[in-house]
Amino acid sequence: MMAASKPVESQSGSGFPRWQLALLVGTPIVLGVGAVYLWKRNKTKDTPGKSNGERTTPEGSANPVQGQGARCEQEDMSPLDRAQGAKNKGNKYFKAGKYEQAIQCYTEAIGLCPRDNQTDLSTFYQNRAAAYEQQMKWTEVVQDCTQAVVINPRYIKALFRRAKALERLDNKKECLEDVTAVCILEAFQNQQSMLLADKVLKLLGKEKAKDQYKNRDPLMPSPQFIKSYFSSFTDDIISQPLQKGEKKDEDKDNEGEAAEVTESSGYLKAKQYMEEENYDKIISECTKEVESGGKYTAEALLLRATFYLLIGNATGAQPDLDRVINMEDANVKLRANALIKRGSMYMQQQQPMMSTQDFNMAAEIDTRNADVYHHRGQLKILLDQVEEAVRDFDECILLRPDSALAQAQKGFALYRQAYTGNSQSQVQTAMDGFEDIIRRFPKCAEGYALYAQALTDQQQFGKADHMYNKCIYLEPDNATTYVHKGLLQLQWKQDLDRGLDFISRAIEIDNKCDFAYETMGTIEVQRGNLEKAIDMFNKAINLAKSEMEMAHLYSLCDAAYAQTEVARKYGLKPPTL
């Protein structure tokens, strides 16, 4: 687990933290499919456009018929035939890049078309919107697409064109509703519409999180989360138990000295509160130590910064971390730990270069600090630099051969490398490696959890379930294990009720487990219970530990809300479980 990040148990089945998975949605890999779709779409007869992005000579006469204002009607034809003729002329003007003349023809077609020919009328409005789109007249595009959709509420081309125009007009909410309708109508098969939905959701999520996160009330995570966080450090002075002589002042030989320590050392009080799991008092006691200029100022700054990070207050944490890092006379372990935590904070803020710099600096000033290599290995995994991650885990293991956590995470890194490389022999080697890890470290819950994720990938569901049972036996209060076990029931047996029972159990164990609320919300979306899903996402939002995580959760919530609006307006619902 990287400092200031989620414990590894909170990761998804892919091994990425949830915020990283959110970043991966809509990556450029899907653009190839989108480009093919776009090329095919531009070949259709009724949609004015340019094949392959080039102007082509329209079918029929070499040039559009010229006349007063490009009028196209013929006296001996029915109104509908004359309207179709006007549309056809408009298409030719469109292909020739003469959009104003095309608009005149489409306008004429709209005027000529009998009102009871609804399908044709909606097409004429949509075609005129396409011409306005070429002129970047976004308001007119929206108006004409709206007319087309009023007539034909499931008109995909009009809905998608309106969505794109609404995006240009910075109307993200209505844009999202339109593109959501398109995605449902296309059964989520069109990469182009899914990319737009993903883009708008991310923008909406970032906007909302930016305002909400800075005004949120700080929330201390559960004791289980805090203990899991600190367990990922072995060279961290501030997380070590109090020394024998520090625990109780009455143990001191000199009572006067003891009284002096009691009055001046807020840091020692904070450490005592840590042992008692009385976490809410730690920041204030550290502040007393810092303001009094006590001998534990550096330790107090680092401990205060750590708890600022835990409650999601990176703004408060950074000045403290900066001070410790710049204290050249401070214990090198303190400075290295501060660099690890600031580097992890930068990674959460999507600043990978600054994060890498901090980890590298930590390795330079404290070359034999196992924590540096352990957490830098996690950073490398997030950056998809798996070979470098394995080297860092090896260095950590060399320094601390008994580090079960590093062994387990190295095993998972090797598995991911083999899995993404489509090497079945290497996958099997990695799976054998997991067997060796759980044999050598039978009390490391992390080893079983990561092995279970790999087994799930390999569809060895029964064995994965057994590994999660081992985790629960070792750590019965770890809520995230119950969430993963619940998800496994859905994937393995399609047992929705049993899956939800496990996730509900996770919430009973830890009512601050945002992963459980997010997962339950996602399942409720798939069940079609959108109002309940929104409620679950809002609970997760209130527990978000970073602005990035909050943005991702708002995106999920907005997606669910958009589906409720689409269902209300158009009667459209995606398939449900």
Side-chain angles (χ1 to χ4, degrees), residues 311 333 557:
I311 64 174
K333 297 292 183 189
C557 193

Side-chain angles (χ1 to χ4, degrees), residues 350-535:
Q350 294 180 275
Q351 301 183 67
M353 289 184 65
M354 295 181 72
S355 179
T356 301
Q357 287 173 5
D358 273 0
F359 278 105
N360 293 346
M361 183 177 172
E364 288 172 11
I365 68 170
D366 194 7
T367 56
R368 298 189 59 76
N369 188 324
D371 289 343
V372 174
Y373 303 103
H374 176 193
H375 289 273
R376 189 170 69 178
Q378 295 228 3
L379 168 70
K380 297 300 183 184
I381 288 180
L382 295 179
L383 296 175
D384 209 25
Q385 299 169 2
V386 182
E387 288 185 16
E388 293 182 33
V390 171
R391 285 199 294 271
D392 273 337
F393 289 135
D394 279 336
E395 189 67 31
C396 175
I397 292 163
L398 186 66
L399 292 167
R400 287 192 178 271
D402 60 343
S403 176
L405 198 57
Q407 297 272 8
Q409 290 173 355
K410 176 191 172 183
F412 193 76
L414 290 170
Y415 168 74
R416 274 201 50 217
Q417 189 176 38
Y419 184 72
T420 55
N422 293 316
S423 171
Q424 191 54 47
S425 63
Q426 289 181 9
V427 166
Q428 188 55 53
T429 300
M431 301 300 273
D432 292 342
F434 272 121
E435 288 286 344
D436 182 58
I437 289 165
I438 62 174
R439 179 185 59 79
R440 288 189 293 132
F441 303 99
K443 294 184 179 180
C444 177
E446 188 77 10
Y448 296 107
L450 292 175
Y451 190 19
Q453 291 181 26
L455 287 164
T456 302
D457 276 345
Q458 297 300 308
Q459 297 189 342
Q460 297 181 38
F461 300 127
K463 194 168 184 179
D465 192 54
H466 179 63
M467 292 299 122
Y468 283 131
N469 288 338
K470 290 275 192 180
C471 291
I472 290 170
Y473 174 76
L474 290 167
E475 294 183 352
D477 293 333
N478 190 331
T480 43
T481 304
Y482 286 90
V483 179
H484 282 301
K485 188 171 170 67
L487 287 170
L488 179 64
Q489 308 311 307
L490 298 178
Q491 191 172 351
W492 178 20
K493 299 179 178 179
Q494 291 76 53
D495 190 338
L496 191 62
D497 291 335
R498 186 164 170 78
L500 287 172
D501 282 345
F502 278 113
I503 298 168
S504 296
R505 173 67 177 143
I507 293 171
E508 289 175 14
I509 291 170
D510 180 4
N511 63 4
K512 295 181 180 179
C513 182
D514 53 329
F515 183 36
Y517 292 114
E518 177 189 345
T519 305
M520 189 168 280
T522 303
I523 292 171
E524 294 297 353
V525 167
Q526 294 171 359
R527 294 176 77 193
N529 298 333
L530 297 175
E531 289 187 6
K532 187 169 183 180
I534 291 168
D535 180 53

Side-chain angles (χ1 to χ4, degrees), residues 147-351:
Q147 291 291 340
V149 170
V150 167
I151 297 167
N152 180 5
R154 300 192 176 195
Y155 196 167
I156 293 175
K157 291 177 184 176
L159 283 165
F160 190 53
R161 180 158 278 119
R162 186 170 69 177
K164 291 185 292 181
L166 287 165
E167 183 200 8
R168 294 282 192 157
L169 293 169
D170 200 34
N171 188 338
K172 299 182 189 69
K173 180 178 177 293
E174 292 187 18
C175 168
L176 179 60
E177 290 174 14
D178 277 355
V179 76
T180 298
V182 171
C183 288
I184 294 171
L185 287 166
E186 294 174 331
F188 297 91
Q189 296 300 308
N190 183 342
Q191 297 295 337
Q192 195 180 20
S193 53
M194 289 176 68
L195 276 174
L196 178 58
D198 180 64
K199 176 184 177 182
V200 175
L201 280 168
K202 286 177 181 174
L203 289 171
L204 279 169
K206 285 179 180 178
E207 285 179 4
K208 291 183 177 180
K210 186 175 182 180
D211 292 333
Q212 183 64 25
Y213 193 76
K214 62 186 177 185
N215 296 319
R216 64 192 270 280
D217 293 327
L219 183 67
M220 190 66 68
S222 66
Q224 191 278 330
F225 182 96
I226 293 171
K227 286 185 281 189
S228 178
Y229 176 90
F230 280 111
S231 72
S232 69
F233 296 94
T234 55
D235 278 325
D236 181 6
I237 294 172
I238 63 168
S239 64
Q240 301 305 314
L242 283 166
Q243 299 302 308
K244 184 177 180 182
E246 295 172 342
K247 286 195 174 182
K248 291 183 180 179
D249 293 326
E250 54 264 30
D251 289 341
K252 303 279 185 178
D253 292 332
N254 187 317
E255 289 186 8
E257 182 181 325
E260 184 179 343
V261 171
T262 302
E263 290 174 9
S264 63
S265 186
Y267 171 70
L268 295 181
K269 285 186 180 178
K271 291 271 285 188
Q272 186 68 47
Y273 286 137
M274 271 191 72
E275 291 191 8
E276 297 168 359
E277 297 183 16
N278 194 352
Y279 300 120
D280 289 321
K281 294 184 178 180
I282 288 174
I283 289 175
S284 61
E285 290 300 330
C286 287
T287 299
K288 291 177 185 177
E289 181 78 19
V290 172
E291 290 178 348
S292 68
K295 68 176 182 178
Y296 297 108
T297 295
E299 289 88 344
L301 284 166
L302 182 56
L303 185 58
R304 184 171 69 176
T306 302
F307 273 87
Y308 275 142
L309 290 173
L310 284 167
I311 64 174
N313 184 1
T315 303
Q318 183 158 353
D320 286 354
L321 294 172
D322 292 346
R323 280 185 65 182
V324 176
I325 291 164
N326 293 324
M327 287 180 174
E328 295 190 3
D329 58 341
N331 187 315
V332 71
K333 297 292 183 189
L334 292 175
R335 295 176 64 210
N337 188 267
L339 282 162
I340 292 169
K341 288 169 180 172
R342 191 175 71 177
S344 299
M345 180 190 74
Y346 283 143
M347 192 62 199
Q348 279 199 326
Q349 295 171 348
Q350 294 180 275
Q351 301 183 67

Side-chain angles (χ1 to χ4, degrees), residues 549-567:
E549 185 178 347
M550 183 178 280
H552 166 56
L553 291 165
Y554 267 123
S555 295
L556 295 177
C557 193
D558 286 338
Y561 181 76
Q563 288 187 38
T564 66
E565 289 300 289
V566 167

